[in-house]
Amino acid sequence: MDAKARNYLLQHREALEKDIKTSYIMDHMIGDGVLTVSEEEEVKNESTQQRRAAMLIKMILKKNNYSYVSFYNALLHEGYKDLAALLHGGLPVISSSNGKDSVGGITSYVRTVLCEGGVPQRPVVFVTRKKLVNAIQQRLYRLNGEPGWVTVHGMAGCGKSVLAAEAVRDHCLLEGCFPGGVHWVSVGKQDKAGLLMKLQNLCARLDQDESFSQRLPLNIEEAKDRLRILMLRKYPRSLLILDDVWDPWVLKAFDNQCQILLTTRDKSVTDSVMGPKYVVAVESGLGKEKGLEILSLFVNMKKADLPEEAHSIIKECKGSPLVVSLIGALLRDFPNRWEYYLRQLQNKQFKRIRKSSSYDYEALDEAMSISVEMLRENSKNYYTDLSILQKDVKVPTKVFCVLWDMETEEVEDKLQEFVNKSLLFCDRNGKSFCYYLHDLQVDFLTEKNRSKLQDLHKKLITQFRKHRQLHALSSDQEDCMYWYNFLAYHMANANMHKELCALMFSLDWIKAKTELVGPAHLIHEFVEYRHILDEKDCAVSENFQAFLSLNGHLLGRQPFPNIVQLGLCEPETSEVYQQAKLQAKQEVDNGVLYLEWINKKNTKNLSCLVVRPHTDAVYHACFSEDGHRIASCGADKTLQVFKAETGEKLLEIKAHEDEVLCCAFSIDDKFIATCSVDKKVKIWNSITGELVHSYDEHSEQVNCLCFNHNSHHLLLATGSSDSLLKLWDLNQKHCRNTMFGHTSSVSHCRFSPDGELLASCSADGTVKLWGVKSANEMESINVKQFFLSSEEPQEDLEVIVKCCSWSSDGSRIMVAAKHKILLFDIHTSGLLTEIHTNHHSAIQYCDFSPHHHLAVVALSHNCVELWNMDSGLKVADCRGHLSWVHCVMFSPDGSSFLTSSDDQTIRLWETKKVCENSAIVLKQEIDVVFQEDEVMVLAVDNRRCLQLINGKTGQIDDLTEAQVSCCCLSPHLEYVAFGGSDGAIKILELLNSRIFQCTSGHQNPVRHIQFTADGKTLISSFDDSTIQVWNWQSEEYLFLQAHQEAVKDFKLLKNSRLLSWSFDGTVKVWNITTGKIEKDFDCHQDTVLSCDISPDATKFSSTSADKTAKIWSFDLISPLHELKGHRGCVRCSAFSGDSTLLATGDDNGEIRIWSVADGALLHSCAPVCEEEGAATHGGWVTDLCFSPDSKMLVSAGGYLKWWNVVTGESSQTFYTNGTNLKKIHVSSDFKTYVTVDNLGILYILQILE
């Protein structure tokens, strides 16, 4: 054995001896020919498990490299992946010529690759089908390292999965074509939530060291992007195997430049994806000779010696390997029953009624019924229990331990009996064995035991309650994920409605489940079981759905948010709030910090109409030109038309044979066009629902369509995954023009308002403009260039341009891609505006308002946003959908807009109401005075109205209207001062509304304003380098002018002194009585961003854009300490109450706590997180404040965070609706906090006691 391999064994010997069970490990090693039976006996003779493990390792140390590799593979097979990982670095290199195992001619390299990739093992009895295996391998070779698809298709039970697995058991193929490995995914029949779970599991498997991300992707778009990056950077030239694919839409999630082998019953599933495609048909199942070979292996006879009945049995099995295996397993136990089993098959005593099927199930049903009947009576009961298993779900042993009240070994023995009889399948790649049924076996059991299913589900739930406690489920338990994913499913099918509601209406359950798998599956369950949940309590159900809708984007992020704190932000009438309040009060007694949002109002439902016309996801919806009707289409293959005002259904049309992706009214409202995954475009009479035209000229699915705006000459444009655009004249039978130019799927198209141009978006990263008359390409805008970074080469970057929309005058076009909205000038193709939406969300759709500067945008985290395209500012958030929003569309007059979602609903929103709700919003420059038990807030709203808000009562007094840029309150709430962008400064006396106006004549915008402690003097700084001191009662002015650039801000000191800092890098101390500089500190080479004064008034801090902070003594010209280490601009600082600590915060979200005495770094409170470029604090750290006892710290940034100063750990996080908090105002007792987010929402928070 190599010295390196030997050292690894010795190094990890103790861990191996402690954990492994030798019996299963030795089975593999004996099979590999590296361990003898006598050696096995020697190991078994040891008295304890640990001694047996020690003996085995001692033997391996005396053997060669093959023994090491065999032992490593055995660990992987038996689920000891953590232990195998310890040995991975010591794997010796074994050449392919010498590395053959003794069984099956498979090299150790192949065993390792397939085991690590989750490829299923060979069946108990295996017969090779060389012709088909070679055909698959030839197609895989033809991929030649380039992205493409190899499809193995055939009827159910014909052995497609076994053939796919066998095709990659080839050393030369793997080494030459797929050196990056092979990754197997059992897909099956899935909805979107199920597919997301599969993708999350795959991403977790491929990124076990979390080198690319520390959290699971939260939606399919994000998962697709994560998978693309992993396959490109971590597993280049690898093969992805998708087993048992049912639906074409599933493949879109994997259509990202991978090499893919897939098995399916429907060879057309790849029609909707791009790239080279190769097909291998497995139509006939087993031939006669192969069937006889399987039987001979089961009964251990030569093929020539098989009785005559064997030939007839193969004929009755109709070529199904599954049926032949079932009969073979029976004959192995009862070798004299050939004639009996043949007679049973021919009699067809067990027949099921099926309305439609692509496969003759009779043979399977007979074989299954015979096999089950031959089981011992108690085994029959155990097998009946398997009727509740779902298709394509692998169930850990521990679940059966719970169900049957047995030890692990007993369960494995019982299930092995079913495996041996081909009644069940076993996967040994997990932590323990996992078991699953073939789809056809699930069908058989479901039909046979239909009347018992409810009781069987109930039995499982009863046993679960006996052996498991919800609050005690831990992620390190083998069966944990199964219960989190399927407990609600079993309760619903057990008709345990009360228990299901108790589960789903539990904050503990929501926390536990979303923490493990994210919110998507839970949201799916609320939709799936809505009919049950609404029965119990419709209001409570709505409470929880609203909670998930509002917070789904937070749940699943790392670190996981405190769900009780999120619940405390719900309306007080909500069940979620009441549960959260109860839990919070219990935890407060144990020292946990919670905040109450005391000025919150009941959540307003801004949508004026919610309809559920579809039974599946709604992909598109649009208004009629008169605004009275709405048409919608989706995954249920229908077109629906209903009244926009009431939701009353007008039409329901079974429009296509597959999902309908887009619909549009003609300009005269006479027609509705639809397009589909079935590649067809159809035109319908919008009143009668009659089919007017059907076009079938695209070669792949049609993604989008739109009508022009000329009612005298109707044209329809369509875009397809075949990368083509087509123009149709409704008076002609065939396409008028085909536009070539895009190199990938066309995702969206829109006519310009004047009808002269057609814009199209594509997955090739471009937007193209076409002349409608000529059908020629007029302009191409490379959107991809706006996403390039130095880290990612252009060829690796995938930018799908999702959507485009014209401004009402046709001079600008808005484009959506990834998380950006881009606005281009049509005449110059120049970029006018670039807006970044939420970094973790992809934009799904966008639409320009026909009469305003507003744009509505749908994001992948269930949210819809309104943006002002002139200012580039977000106007409003619209939350309410429970799942991904696919489409947004303004009404023709812009007064309303609709949204359609995966949650099967369409919501109608009033534009004005949405804007006004988010709209009487505050600017972020506020002033706060804490007085006894009162919190008074002075703020300016977007109507330019100055407001005085009582934080406790919510009373709002409108004081005056003015061009206000900043404002402040006098210390005793007698006066209000405000400055404007025109340089005007005024003081309002609150008692009698008398106004005093500054007459200094300064005309630059006022940036900061503050009263002195006695309220007699007002200090203000302007956009230039001036500070004004105004004794407003005596009308005396002083101007402090010495800074070379604009003053950033100032703070008042004692004894009529003032500290100011500037963009010029200096800090100055002024005497505001004389106007003279007393101290001048040249602090930084770059802008001084903030200063703080120590409570003992002996020191001050300065922070700068140069990424440093400094501590100064007022008595010295040089700094006491220069604090280095921040990787971004240091934006804020704060001294502790005892002047011994200084906290600093930077633009990367990092907070550092320093010792003032020696400048030593004590803690880094929020280590910088590089995940997807996101800052830990959700953005810049903009403000900091210590508690009076210096034990706690609160910080503002993307949200609010509280920190334990002693440990440097986070104590609580409060997520505001918006982000980019500028300042946090804190009461002297550190119990009340006030801030405003970038949406203009005011937060007055109080510590819960």
Side-chain angles (χ1 to χ4, degrees):
M1 183 182 295
D2 286 353
K4 185 180 178 183
R6 184 182 183 81
N7 286 339
Y8 266 82
L9 261 182
L10 290 169
Q11 183 182 344
H12 301 295
R13 186 175 193 165
E14 187 177 340
L16 292 163
E17 291 175 357
K18 184 179 176 183
D19 287 346
I20 62 172
K21 291 182 181 178
T22 54
S23 55
Y24 295 131
I25 300 286
M26 290 192 294
D27 285 344
H28 288 282
M29 295 182 72
I30 291 170
D32 289 348
V34 298
L35 196 72
T36 64
V37 175
S38 61
E39 286 174 324
E40 180 189 29
E41 285 301 316
E42 191 177 342
V43 171
K44 284 182 176 179
N45 288 336
E46 294 294 330
S47 56
T48 65
Q49 177 182 311
Q50 192 160 344
R51 291 176 70 110
R52 288 192 287 273
M55 176 60 76
L56 177 61
I57 291 166
K58 185 178 177 182
M59 289 178 177
I60 296 169
L61 285 165
K62 296 177 181 178
K63 295 178 179 287
N64 58 16
N65 287 339
Y66 302 118
S67 303
Y68 187 97
V69 173
S70 176
F71 181 55
Y72 171 82
N73 286 329
L75 290 173
L76 279 175
H77 275 292
E78 294 306 323
Y80 298 108
K81 291 190 176 180
D82 50 345
L83 296 178
L86 297 176
L87 300 184
H88 187 270
L91 279 172
V93 178
I94 299 175
S95 67
S96 58
S97 58
N98 298 325
K100 299 273 180 124
D101 292 340
S102 59
V103 179
I106 301 170
T107 66
S108 300
Y109 168 74
V110 171
R111 277 184 187 276
T112 303
V113 170
L114 301 193
C115 194
E116 289 177 342
V119 178
Q121 296 169 307
R122 283 173 171 168
V124 176
V125 170
F126 171 73
V127 172
T128 184
R129 298 156 79 181
K130 272 191 176 175
K131 187 176 178 183
L132 284 168
V133 170
N134 288 341
I136 297 169
Q137 289 175 341
Q138 285 169 15
R139 270 56 166 199
L140 290 172
Y141 275 115
R142 286 171 68 181
L143 290 177
N144 198 29
E146 296 297 319
W149 308 78
V150 175
T151 303
V152 180
H153 75 90
M155 64 185 183
C158 70
K160 302 182 295 294
S161 303
V162 174
L163 287 166
E166 196 57 27
V168 293
R169 270 188 195 95
D170 183 280
H171 190 108
C172 293
L173 178 71
L174 295 184
E175 197 170 54
C177 297
F178 310 113
V182 175
H183 313 287
W184 185 283
V185 183
S186 299
V187 180
K189 182 73 173 170
Q190 295 295 341
D191 54 27
K192 287 185 172 62
L195 177 62
L196 178 58
M197 285 171 59
K198 297 281 184 184
L199 286 163
Q200 286 175 332
N201 291 337
L202 177 60
C203 289
R205 199 168 87 200
L206 296 177
D207 193 26
Q208 288 184 17
D209 59 359
E210 296 183 340
S211 57
F212 280 86
S213 181
Q214 294 179 347
R215 66 171 176 83
L216 293 170
L218 301 180
N219 54 63
I220 289 176
E221 282 286 335
E222 191 183 339
K224 178 180 178 180
D225 199 46
R226 179 88 54 83
L227 182 60
R228 182 186 67 81
I229 293 169
L230 285 168
M231 297 297 276
L232 186 71
R233 298 186 185 173
K234 207 168 183 181
Y235 300 95
R237 294 187 66 203
S238 59
L239 179 67
L240 194 57
I241 305 180
L242 308 179
D243 185 37
D244 194 22
V245 176
W246 284 63
D247 301 297
W249 65 266
V250 167
L251 292 186
K252 293 176 190 174
F254 300 94
D255 188 8
N256 51 15
Q257 304 298 299
C258 295
Q259 299 180 93
I260 293 177
L261 170 64
L262 65 99
T263 71
T264 180
R265 305 175 195 192
D266 177 9
K267 68 178 179 182
S268 68
V269 290
T270 56
D271 287 354
S272 61
V273 295
M274 304 295 289
K277 300 166 190 174
Y278 307 102
V279 177
V280 177
V282 191
E283 298 290 0
S284 58
L286 289 174
K288 180 180 177 182
E289 292 304 312
K290 288 295 179 186
L292 291 172
E293 190 177 340
I294 289 179
L295 283 181
S296 69
L297 288 168
F298 267 108
V299 297
N300 199 21
M301 295 172 64
K302 290 181 180 178
K303 196 160 61 170
D305 296 337
L306 292 172
E308 188 61 36
E309 290 87 350
H311 298 263
S312 301
I313 284 173
I314 297 301
K315 182 180 177 183
E316 292 297 330
C317 288
K318 295 182 169 59
S320 167
L322 181 58
V323 179
V324 174
S325 297
L326 286 165
I327 297 299
L330 289 166
L331 287 165
R332 181 175 54 197
D333 293 340
F334 303 99
N336 299 319
R337 294 188 177 181
W338 291 90
E339 188 178 341
Y340 171 72
Y341 292 137
L342 174 60
R343 192 166 62 248
Q344 291 289 97
L345 279 172
Q346 291 171 333
N347 287 344
K348 295 181 173 48
Q349 293 174 348
F350 184 88
K351 291 185 180 178
R352 257 179 299 171
I353 299 169
R354 292 180 184 273
K355 290 182 180 177
S356 64
S357 173
S358 60
Y359 172 60
D360 181 355
Y361 282 83
E362 285 185 353
L364 174 79
D365 291 343
E366 294 304 322
M368 283 289 295
S369 59
I370 298 166
S371 298
V372 173
E373 284 305 313
M374 296 310 299
L375 292 171
R376 296 191 304 274
E377 202 58 41
N378 70 328
S379 294
K380 282 184 194 174
N381 294 332
Y382 288 125
Y383 196 68
T384 299
D385 286 342
L386 305 188
S387 305
I388 59 174
L389 299 192
Q390 285 189 294
K391 293 178 179 178
D392 304 299
V393 173
K394 294 177 179 177
V395 184
T397 309
K398 290 290 184 185
V399 173
F400 298 105
C401 293
V402 169
L403 176 59
W404 293 332
D405 218 347
M406 288 182 180
E407 294 294 322
T408 302
E409 290 76 12
E410 290 180 273
V411 168
E412 288 173 353
D413 289 344
K414 176 56 63 184
L415 293 174
Q416 190 59 42
E417 179 186 349
F418 301 145
V419 172
N420 291 340
K421 296 180 183 299
S422 297
L423 287 168
L424 186 68
F425 296 91
C426 177
D427 180 6
R428 302 186 183 191
N429 289 323
K431 286 186 177 179
S432 68
F433 295 163
C434 288
Y435 299 89
Y436 60 99
L437 293 164
H438 192 285
D439 288 2
L440 302 180
Q441 292 172 323
V442 174
D443 288 344
F444 171 86
L445 284 172
T446 303
E447 290 290 336
K448 185 174 187 291
N449 302 306
R450 190 168 292 282
S451 62
K452 303 176 184 175
L453 289 177
Q454 184 174 313
D455 290 335
L456 293 174
H457 283 285
K458 191 173 287 186
K459 175 183 174 182
L460 179 63
I461 298 299
T462 303
Q463 287 295 103
F464 170 81
R465 289 171 148 190
K466 179 180 174 183
H467 293 281
R468 294 281 188 270
Q469 292 179 315
L470 275 179
H471 66 270
L473 278 179
S474 169
S475 57
D476 57 3
Q477 292 174 307
E478 292 172 9
D479 56 340
C480 165
M481 290 300 292
Y482 182 86
W483 299 118
Y484 278 123
N485 285 326
F486 300 110
L487 191 59
Y489 161 78
H490 289 299
M491 283 181 173
N493 283 280
N495 206 28
M496 299 173 75
H497 292 185
K498 182 180 176 183
E499 291 80 359
L500 177 64
C501 291
L503 180 75
M504 299 292 282
F505 298 157
S506 161
L507 265 186
D508 288 335
W509 176 251
I510 288 173
K511 176 184 185 297
K513 179 156 182 168
T514 51
E515 198 164 350
L516 268 180
V517 298
H521 192 256
L522 188 64
I523 289 171
H524 168 75
E525 287 179 329
F526 267 95
V527 175
E528 181 81 9
Y529 307 126
R530 180 182 279 139
H531 60 290
I532 299 173
L533 302 176
D534 285 352
E535 276 177 17
K536 168 71 176 171
D537 192 324
C538 189
V540 172
S541 180
E542 286 177 3
N543 290 164
F544 276 90
Q545 288 181 41
F547 175 67
L548 285 168
S549 166
L550 288 166
N551 297 292
H553 62 298
L554 297 174
L555 302 171
R557 68 159 58 186
Q558 295 294 334
F560 191 80
N562 186 306
I563 203 160
V564 175
Q565 182 60 67
L566 293 179
L568 287 173
C569 296
E570 293 297 291
E572 293 186 7
T573 55
S574 164
E575 173 68 19
V576 178
Y577 172 82
Q578 289 163 18
Q579 283 190 33
K581 186 72 174 279
L582 198 64
Q583 285 193 37
K585 283 188 171 180
Q586 292 168 354
E587 293 181 42
V588 163
D589 294 337
N590 297 321
V592 181
L593 175 72
Y594 282 108
L595 290 307
E596 277 268 36
W597 182 5
I598 62 174
N599 69 315
K600 71 184 174 193
K601 296 177 180 176
N602 287 345
T603 306
K604 292 181 180 177
N605 186 359
L606 298 177
S607 48
C608 56
L609 178 69
V610 182
V611 291
R612 189 174 287 107
H614 294 270
T615 58
D616 207 334
V618 189
Y619 290 145
H620 197 85
C622 60
F623 286 96
S624 60
E625 285 300 317
D626 62 12
H628 296 323
R629 290 178 291 165
I630 292 172
S632 62
C633 58
D636 63 2
K637 309 173 188 175
T638 68
L639 168 68
Q640 308 279 349
V641 183
F642 54 91
K643 289 183 180 179
E645 188 176 0
T646 63
E648 178 188 341
K649 186 177 288 189
L650 301 173
L651 280 179
E652 180 174 0
I653 303 168
K654 175 69 169 66
H656 290 266
E657 295 304 310
D658 212 325
E659 297 181 338
V660 188
L661 301 179
C662 191
C663 58
F665 277 97
S666 60
I667 189 70
D668 57 9
D669 282 341
K670 290 181 180 178
F671 305 107
I672 301 174
T674 58
C675 60
S676 167
V677 175
D678 67 9
K679 311 174 193 174
K680 293 179 181 173
V681 178
K682 295 185 179 182
I683 313 293
W684 310 86
N685 183 304
S686 71
I687 304 299
T688 65
E690 292 177 10
L691 181 63
V692 179
H693 293 292
S694 181
Y695 303 120
D696 191 8
E697 294 185 30
H698 281 291
S699 60
E700 297 197 29
Q701 71 177 36
V702 187
N703 299 315
C704 56
L705 50 75
C706 62
F707 278 103
N708 68 344
H709 308 291
N710 185 350
S711 58
H712 301 297
H713 187 197
L714 284 179
L715 291 177
L716 178 73
T718 58
S720 165
S721 291
D722 60 13
S723 76
L724 302 178
L725 277 159
K726 289 181 181 287
L727 276 178
W728 312 81
D729 186 327
L730 266 59
N731 297 317
Q732 298 175 13
K733 290 184 178 179
H734 299 287
C735 163
R736 194 193 86 170
N737 299 101
T738 298
M739 282 99 99
F740 302 85
H742 284 297
T743 57
S744 189
S745 174
V746 179
S747 49
H748 195 242
C749 59
R750 286 265 181 103
F751 282 100
S752 61
D754 62 7
E756 296 294 318
L757 295 172
L758 175 68
S760 62
C761 308
S762 169
D764 63 12
T766 67
V767 174
K768 293 184 184 292
L769 303 180
W770 311 81
V772 173
K773 289 180 182 176
S774 66
N776 290 332
E777 182 181 323
M778 311 296 287
E779 189 69 53
S780 182
I781 301 173
N782 181 13
V783 177
K784 189 174 182 178
Q785 66 178 307
F786 298 99
F787 293 86
L788 291 176
S789 66
S790 56
E791 290 83 24
E792 190 166 22
Q794 179 162 359
E795 60 271 16
D796 293 347
L797 181 67
E798 181 185 47
V799 176
I800 298 173
V801 186
K802 279 292 188 73
C803 185
C804 62
S805 183
W806 294 84
S807 62
S808 56
D809 61 1
S811 66
R812 298 172 295 166
I813 190 164
M814 176 173 63
V815 173
K818 286 184 173 280
H819 60 282
K820 289 184 185 180
I821 308 168
L822 305 167
L823 190 64
F824 294 98
D825 183 294
I826 288 304
H827 306 297
T828 66
S829 300
L831 179 67
L832 300 173
T833 305
E834 180 175 329
I835 294 173
H836 295 245
T837 60
N838 187 304
H839 186 81
H840 294 297
S841 292
I843 299 172
Q844 304 293 335
Y845 208 91
C846 64
D847 193 35
F848 234 134
S849 170
H851 302 301
H852 306 101
H853 44 264
L854 293 177
V856 61
V857 178
L859 296 166
S860 58
H861 67 275
N862 315 350
C863 184
V864 175
E865 297 177 348
L866 280 176
W867 287 79
N868 183 319
M869 293 306 293
D870 287 348
S871 67
L873 298 174
K874 183 159 66 170
V875 176
D877 274 296
C878 309
R879 296 191 185 277
H881 282 294
L882 285 178
S883 193
W884 308 306
V885 183
H886 290 288
C887 173
V888 287
M889 191 78 74
F890 276 106
S891 61
D893 63 2
S895 64
S896 60
F897 60 93
L898 58 76
T899 56
S900 65
S901 167
D902 240 30
D903 65 9
Q904 306 173 13
T905 68
I906 296 166
R907 288 176 179 261
L908 195 63
W909 314 73
E910 288 181 32
T911 309
K912 186 177 179 183
K913 183 180 174 184
V914 169
C915 290
E916 284 178 353
N917 179 71
S918 307
I920 296 187
V921 296
L922 305 181
K923 293 187 176 180
Q924 289 187 275
E925 291 76 16
I926 64 170
D927 194 27
V928 181
V929 170
F930 300 96
Q931 198 173 64
E932 295 177 353
D933 199 34
E934 283 194 333
V935 181
M936 301 304 294
V937 181
L938 182 67
V940 185
D941 66 23
N942 58 336
R943 302 170 303 169
R944 299 181 301 172
C945 185
L946 197 63
Q947 297 182 356
L948 187 61
I949 304 165
N950 186 315
K952 294 293 178 73
T953 66
Q955 180 181 333
I956 300 174
D957 294 323
D958 288 340
L959 301 179
T960 183
E961 286 191 17
Q963 289 278 6
V964 179
S965 57
C966 58
C967 58
C968 70
L969 284 160
S970 66
H972 302 294
L973 296 175
E974 296 172 298
Y975 303 99
V976 165
F978 51 96
S981 54
D982 57 358
I985 298 174
K986 296 179 182 180
I987 293 175
L988 173 69
E989 190 173 1
L990 291 174
L991 188 63
N992 56 26
S993 299
R994 190 163 48 145
I995 288 183
F996 302 86
Q997 183 154 349
C998 173
T999 57
S1000 68
H1002 214 97
Q1003 295 182 346
N1004 286 310
V1006 186
R1007 286 298 163 221
H1008 300 283
I1009 194 166
Q1010 186 181 347
F1011 281 100
T1012 54
D1014 59 8
K1016 294 179 180 180
T1017 304
L1018 189 69
I1019 317 293
S1020 52
S1021 64
F1022 297 84
D1023 240 3
D1024 58 11
S1025 58
T1026 306
I1027 299 170
Q1028 175 182 282
V1029 181
W1030 175 29
N1031 188 321
W1032 59 275
Q1033 292 180 339
S1034 64
E1035 287 293 323
E1036 293 176 356
Y1037 299 94
L1038 271 178
F1039 291 98
L1040 314 180
Q1041 293 174 312
H1043 283 294
Q1044 300 304 305
E1045 294 183 45
V1047 175
K1048 187 76 174 66
D1049 207 345
F1050 60 83
K1051 282 195 175 187
L1052 286 163
L1053 300 168
K1054 295 175 182 177
N1055 304 321
S1056 300
R1057 302 296 190 271
L1058 179 136
L1059 186 81
S1060 66
W1061 56 95
S1062 163
F1063 284 88
D1064 63 12
T1066 68
V1067 174
K1068 303 183 190 300
V1069 178
W1070 307 81
N1071 184 316
I1072 60 173
T1073 305
T1074 64
K1076 293 182 177 178
I1077 296 177
E1078 296 192 349
K1079 301 279 174 118
D1080 197 346
F1081 298 91
D1082 193 1
C1083 292
H1084 295 272
Q1085 294 298 311
D1086 212 328
T1087 301
V1088 180
L1089 296 175
S1090 78
C1091 288
D1092 193 37
I1093 301 158
S1094 64
D1096 62 11
T1098 62
K1099 303 175 186 71
F1100 72 91
S1101 63
S1102 64
T1103 71
S1104 172
D1106 66 11
K1107 303 180 184 178
T1108 69
K1110 295 179 182 179
I1111 300 174
W1112 303 79
S1113 166
F1114 281 107
D1115 298 327
L1116 300 172
I1117 295 299
S1118 300
L1120 296 173
H1121 307 292
E1122 184 174 8
L1123 312 176
K1124 295 181 177 180
H1126 281 287
R1127 292 195 279 172
C1129 296
V1130 188
R1131 198 157 290 276
C1132 57
S1133 61
F1135 281 97
S1136 62
D1138 57 8
S1139 301
T1140 61
L1141 303 173
L1142 180 76
T1144 54
D1146 70 18
D1147 285 1
N1148 284 329
E1150 184 180 17
I1151 297 167
R1152 293 185 166 216
I1153 297 177
W1154 313 81
S1155 165
V1156 172
D1158 58 9
L1161 176 64
L1162 303 177
H1163 290 297
S1164 180
C1165 281
V1168 177
C1169 167
E1170 299 294 346
E1171 181 203 338
E1172 300 182 20
T1176 309
H1177 208 300
W1180 299 350
V1181 181
T1182 53
D1183 201 9
L1184 296 160
C1185 183
F1186 278 95
S1187 61
D1189 62 6
S1190 305
K1191 291 181 179 178
M1192 288 183 69
L1193 177 74
V1194 62
S1195 59
Y1199 31 79
L1200 297 175
K1201 287 187 80 72
W1202 284 257
W1203 305 91
N1204 183 318
V1205 173
V1206 178
T1207 64
E1209 294 175 352
S1210 171
S1211 302
Q1212 189 55 271
T1213 303
F1214 185 93
Y1215 292 97
T1216 50
N1217 289 346
T1219 182
N1220 297 346
L1221 310 176
K1222 286 189 175 180
K1223 189 170 178 59
I1224 176 79
H1225 299 263
V1226 184
S1227 62
S1228 58
D1229 61 3
F1230 206 69
K1231 291 182 178 178
T1232 308
Y1233 313 86
V1234 182
T1235 191
V1236 175
D1237 66 18
N1238 66 337
L1239 297 179
I1241 299 171
L1242 175 67
Y1243 299 87
I1244 301 175
L1245 309 178
Q1246 207 162 51
I1247 287 181
L1248 186 66
E1249 293 180 323

